[in-house]
Amino acid sequence: MNKQNIILSSVAFATIVALGSCGTQKSVSVPLAADTVSTVTPSTTAIAAVVANKEFISIPEAVSVLDNPDALRTICNKYGYKIIDGYSIYRLDSYRQMLYRNCTPAKSMGKGIYADTPQPTKRGTSSYVAVGPGVTIGVFNTKAYQNLVEQVRSLGYTLAEQGYEDRYTNGTVDIYCYGARKTVRIEHSGN
């Protein structure tokens, strides 16, 4: 009896497989050349020098702060930035110093803790500079942000990655440009 069940099961299985394959066709797609992953290639075209906006810190000045934090006092005096030592954004980031111009600090949540980055006022070009392990420049209008991005390109930084933040590099310094928030983050490569 046991042998008979095994034979019947085998025959039933073979019949199901044979009927299941009837009328179906298998097709195989061959990927075309256009289906390959594209990568960003560095641009070799020269870009004309860009005049930095005189109302806030320039990209070369921000890069110099990476290696010389003492340069902040000179930058504060040059542009009229106010400075807060130990600025933390609630549950997000902490900075050694926050410089702001034509802005007001966000709502204080306690000693050195704020709800957000400084917020713009209606007069002048508002900007802030957050200094931690890197330097982040934030502006609040598109023209000012475009000036920062054009400075990055004119200084010879090449586009390495495009996406959420566009990453430009010169091999030693990486600059991340984030258009939605109008910020430029500057760090040593490999951080």
Side-chain angles (χ1 to χ4, degrees):
M1 196 86 156
N2 194 10
K3 212 178 201 185
Q4 187 179 13
N5 285 340
I6 294 174
I7 294 173
L8 286 175
S9 297
S10 299
V11 171
F13 179 74
T15 305
I16 291 172
V17 169
L19 290 175
S21 67
C22 291
T24 61
Q25 294 180 351
K26 294 182 181 180
S27 62
V28 177
S29 63
V30 178
L32 302 173
D35 290 342
T36 60
V37 176
S38 64
T39 57
V40 176
T41 55
S43 174
T44 57
T45 58
I47 298 173
V50 174
V51 176
N53 189 317
K54 299 196 184 320
E55 294 188 55
F56 52 87
I57 190 171
S58 69
I59 296 296
E61 289 169 324
V63 170
S64 73
V65 170
L66 285 177
D67 295 321
N68 183 14
D70 296 331
L72 282 177
R73 296 291 172 194
T74 305
I75 291 168
C76 285
N77 293 336
K78 179 178 178 182
Y79 296 103
Y81 281 110
K82 295 176 184 171
I83 191 167
I84 298 175
D85 291 320
Y87 193 101
S88 294
I89 299 171
Y90 184 68
R91 294 186 178 191
L92 190 60
D93 279 321
S94 293
Y95 302 103
R96 285 191 314 266
Q97 295 172 314
M98 178 67 74
L99 288 66
Y100 62 98
R101 181 174 188 268
N102 294 330
C103 293
T104 56
K107 179 183 174 189
S108 178
M109 309 280 290
K111 186 178 179 182
I113 300 173
Y114 297 87
D116 200 356
T117 56
Q119 300 302 304
T121 58
K122 293 187 179 185
R123 59 179 174 79
T125 302
S126 301
S127 67
Y128 65 88
V129 180
V131 181
V135 177
T136 301
I137 305 169
V139 293
F140 296 94
N141 68 51
T142 304
K143 186 176 179 181
Y145 174 72
Q146 272 312 119
N147 181 266
L148 289 170
V149 173
E150 288 170 8
Q151 286 180 57
V152 170
R153 291 179 183 153
S154 73
L155 291 169
Y157 288 85
T158 56
L159 181 63
E161 292 178 37
Q162 195 170 15
Y164 175 73
E165 290 181 308
D166 293 341
R167 181 174 70 95
Y168 293 85
T169 189
N170 68 358
T172 57
V173 174
D174 289 341
I175 300 179
Y176 299 86
C177 300
Y178 181 34
R181 197 153 159 95
K182 296 179 184 66
T183 59
V184 174
R185 185 169 46 95
I186 304 167
E187 298 178 347
H188 284 292
S189 294
N191 284 349

